[in-house]
Amino acid sequence: AARLGVDACPMEGFQPDRYDEILGLTAKGLKSVVIATAGYRSENDKYAAAAKVRFPVDEVVIRI
């Protein structure tokens, strides 16, 4: 996402059981553990140039 100029942020306080039901994850033996927002960064973001940690997509994403 960052390579496309899109930032992502994890969110707390969601209902994983409802997400699992809506996305059909239970039938696939999967469970949701995190949700994230995505959007374009502000030009005034002082943290935009800070060092980031990047993992290979295949290590963190399962396509459903």
PDB file of all heavy atoms in Angstrom, residues 25 28 30-31 57-64:
ATOM      1  N   LEU A  25     -15.269 -16.726   6.587  1.00  0.00           N
ATOM      2  CA  LEU A  25     -13.957 -17.224   6.983  1.00  0.00           C
ATOM      3  C   LEU A  25     -14.027 -18.548   7.728  1.00  0.00           C
ATOM      4  O   LEU A  25     -13.159 -19.410   7.551  1.00  0.00           O
ATOM      5  CB  LEU A  25     -13.232 -16.185   7.852  1.00  0.00           C
ATOM      6  CG  LEU A  25     -12.963 -14.832   7.191  1.00  0.00           C
ATOM      7  CD1 LEU A  25     -12.230 -13.917   8.161  1.00  0.00           C
ATOM      8  CD2 LEU A  25     -12.171 -14.990   5.915  1.00  0.00           C
ATOM      9  N   LYS A  28     -13.765 -21.632   5.828  1.00  0.00           N
ATOM     10  CA  LYS A  28     -12.438 -21.863   5.248  1.00  0.00           C
ATOM     11  C   LYS A  28     -11.395 -22.178   6.313  1.00  0.00           C
ATOM     12  O   LYS A  28     -10.213 -22.261   6.014  1.00  0.00           O
ATOM     13  CB  LYS A  28     -12.011 -20.630   4.456  1.00  0.00           C
ATOM     14  CG  LYS A  28     -12.911 -20.375   3.273  1.00  0.00           C
ATOM     15  CD  LYS A  28     -12.497 -19.142   2.521  1.00  0.00           C
ATOM     16  CE  LYS A  28     -13.483 -18.967   1.369  1.00  0.00           C
ATOM     17  NZ  LYS A  28     -13.162 -17.889   0.512  1.00  0.00           N
ATOM     18  N   LEU A  30     -10.588 -20.213   8.792  1.00  0.00           N
ATOM     19  CA  LEU A  30      -9.846 -18.995   9.104  1.00  0.00           C
ATOM     20  C   LEU A  30     -10.578 -18.169  10.151  1.00  0.00           C
ATOM     21  O   LEU A  30     -11.767 -18.338  10.365  1.00  0.00           O
ATOM     22  CB  LEU A  30      -9.672 -18.157   7.829  1.00  0.00           C
ATOM     23  CG  LEU A  30      -8.943 -18.834   6.680  1.00  0.00           C
ATOM     24  CD1 LEU A  30      -9.046 -17.988   5.424  1.00  0.00           C
ATOM     25  CD2 LEU A  30      -7.498 -19.087   7.046  1.00  0.00           C
ATOM     26  N   LYS A  31      -9.836 -17.272  10.813  1.00  0.00           N
ATOM     27  CA  LYS A  31     -10.406 -16.335  11.779  1.00  0.00           C
ATOM     28  C   LYS A  31      -9.793 -14.974  11.551  1.00  0.00           C
ATOM     29  O   LYS A  31      -8.607 -14.861  11.268  1.00  0.00           O
ATOM     30  CB  LYS A  31     -10.075 -16.756  13.210  1.00  0.00           C
ATOM     31  CG  LYS A  31     -10.963 -17.826  13.785  1.00  0.00           C
ATOM     32  CD  LYS A  31     -10.612 -18.080  15.224  1.00  0.00           C
ATOM     33  CE  LYS A  31     -11.310 -17.170  16.149  1.00  0.00           C
ATOM     34  NZ  LYS A  31     -12.582 -17.564  16.655  1.00  0.00           N
ATOM     35  N   VAL A  57       4.570  -9.821   1.032  1.00  0.00           N
ATOM     36  CA  VAL A  57       3.114  -9.966   1.009  1.00  0.00           C
ATOM     37  C   VAL A  57       2.690 -11.390   1.356  1.00  0.00           C
ATOM     38  O   VAL A  57       1.751 -11.596   2.128  1.00  0.00           O
ATOM     39  CB  VAL A  57       2.543  -9.544  -0.371  1.00  0.00           C
ATOM     40  CG1 VAL A  57       1.081  -9.886  -0.476  1.00  0.00           C
ATOM     41  CG2 VAL A  57       2.780  -8.072  -0.604  1.00  0.00           C
ATOM     42  N   ASP A  58       3.384 -12.390   0.811  1.00  0.00           N
ATOM     43  CA  ASP A  58       2.991 -13.779   1.040  1.00  0.00           C
ATOM     44  C   ASP A  58       3.114 -14.201   2.505  1.00  0.00           C
ATOM     45  O   ASP A  58       2.508 -15.192   2.911  1.00  0.00           O
ATOM     46  CB  ASP A  58       3.834 -14.722   0.180  1.00  0.00           C
ATOM     47  CG  ASP A  58       3.541 -14.555  -1.304  1.00  0.00           C
ATOM     48  OD1 ASP A  58       2.454 -14.014  -1.634  1.00  0.00           O
ATOM     49  OD2 ASP A  58       4.373 -14.941  -2.131  1.00  0.00           O
ATOM     50  N   GLU A  59       3.865 -13.461   3.317  1.00  0.00           N
ATOM     51  CA  GLU A  59       3.996 -13.782   4.728  1.00  0.00           C
ATOM     52  C   GLU A  59       2.856 -13.197   5.563  1.00  0.00           C
ATOM     53  O   GLU A  59       2.640 -13.635   6.693  1.00  0.00           O
ATOM     54  CB  GLU A  59       5.324 -13.271   5.278  1.00  0.00           C
ATOM     55  CG  GLU A  59       6.524 -14.061   4.825  1.00  0.00           C
ATOM     56  CD  GLU A  59       7.797 -13.597   5.492  1.00  0.00           C
ATOM     57  OE1 GLU A  59       7.737 -12.999   6.574  1.00  0.00           O
ATOM     58  OE2 GLU A  59       8.873 -13.826   4.898  1.00  0.00           O
ATOM     59  N   VAL A  60       2.145 -12.205   5.040  1.00  0.00           N
ATOM     60  CA  VAL A  60       1.142 -11.525   5.860  1.00  0.00           C
ATOM     61  C   VAL A  60      -0.266 -11.486   5.252  1.00  0.00           C
ATOM     62  O   VAL A  60      -1.196 -11.069   5.923  1.00  0.00           O
ATOM     63  CB  VAL A  60       1.588 -10.083   6.205  1.00  0.00           C
ATOM     64  CG1 VAL A  60       2.810 -10.093   7.078  1.00  0.00           C
ATOM     65  CG2 VAL A  60       1.842  -9.268   4.947  1.00  0.00           C
ATOM     66  N   VAL A  61      -0.434 -11.926   4.008  1.00  0.00           N
ATOM     67  CA  VAL A  61      -1.736 -11.829   3.347  1.00  0.00           C
ATOM     68  C   VAL A  61      -2.191 -13.198   2.863  1.00  0.00           C
ATOM     69  O   VAL A  61      -1.421 -13.937   2.251  1.00  0.00           O
ATOM     70  CB  VAL A  61      -1.674 -10.870   2.139  1.00  0.00           C
ATOM     71  CG1 VAL A  61      -2.982 -10.869   1.371  1.00  0.00           C
ATOM     72  CG2 VAL A  61      -1.311  -9.466   2.588  1.00  0.00           C
ATOM     73  N   ILE A  62      -3.448 -13.513   3.173  1.00  0.00           N
ATOM     74  CA  ILE A  62      -4.112 -14.696   2.601  1.00  0.00           C
ATOM     75  C   ILE A  62      -5.264 -14.165   1.764  1.00  0.00           C
ATOM     76  O   ILE A  62      -6.116 -13.459   2.269  1.00  0.00           O
ATOM     77  CB  ILE A  62      -4.664 -15.641   3.681  1.00  0.00           C
ATOM     78  CG1 ILE A  62      -3.534 -16.211   4.512  1.00  0.00           C
ATOM     79  CG2 ILE A  62      -5.488 -16.755   3.036  1.00  0.00           C
ATOM     80  CD1 ILE A  62      -4.024 -17.047   5.679  1.00  0.00           C
ATOM     81  N   ARG A  63      -5.264 -14.457   0.497  1.00  0.00           N
ATOM     82  CA  ARG A  63      -6.347 -13.985  -0.377  1.00  0.00           C
ATOM     83  C   ARG A  63      -7.547 -14.915  -0.230  1.00  0.00           C
ATOM     84  O   ARG A  63      -7.407 -16.124  -0.275  1.00  0.00           O
ATOM     85  CB  ARG A  63      -5.874 -13.944  -1.814  1.00  0.00           C
ATOM     86  CG  ARG A  63      -4.896 -12.783  -2.034  1.00  0.00           C
ATOM     87  CD  ARG A  63      -4.359 -12.776  -3.435  1.00  0.00           C
ATOM     88  NE  ARG A  63      -3.559 -11.668  -3.834  1.00  0.00           N
ATOM     89  CZ  ARG A  63      -2.508 -11.144  -3.233  1.00  0.00           C
ATOM     90  NH1 ARG A  63      -2.125 -11.618  -2.081  1.00  0.00           N
ATOM     91  NH2 ARG A  63      -1.826 -10.145  -3.736  1.00  0.00           N
ATOM     92  N   ILE A  64      -8.733 -14.311  -0.036  1.00  0.00           N
ATOM     93  CA  ILE A  64      -9.939 -15.109   0.145  1.00  0.00           C
ATOM     94  C   ILE A  64     -10.914 -14.845  -0.993  1.00  0.00           C
ATOM     95  O   ILE A  64     -10.849 -13.860  -1.662  1.00  0.00           O
ATOM     96  CB  ILE A  64     -10.620 -14.847   1.494  1.00  0.00           C
ATOM     97  CG1 ILE A  64     -10.906 -13.355   1.678  1.00  0.00           C
ATOM     98  CG2 ILE A  64      -9.756 -15.345   2.625  1.00  0.00           C
ATOM     99  CD1 ILE A  64     -11.744 -13.045   2.882  1.00  0.00           C
TER     100      ILE A  64
END
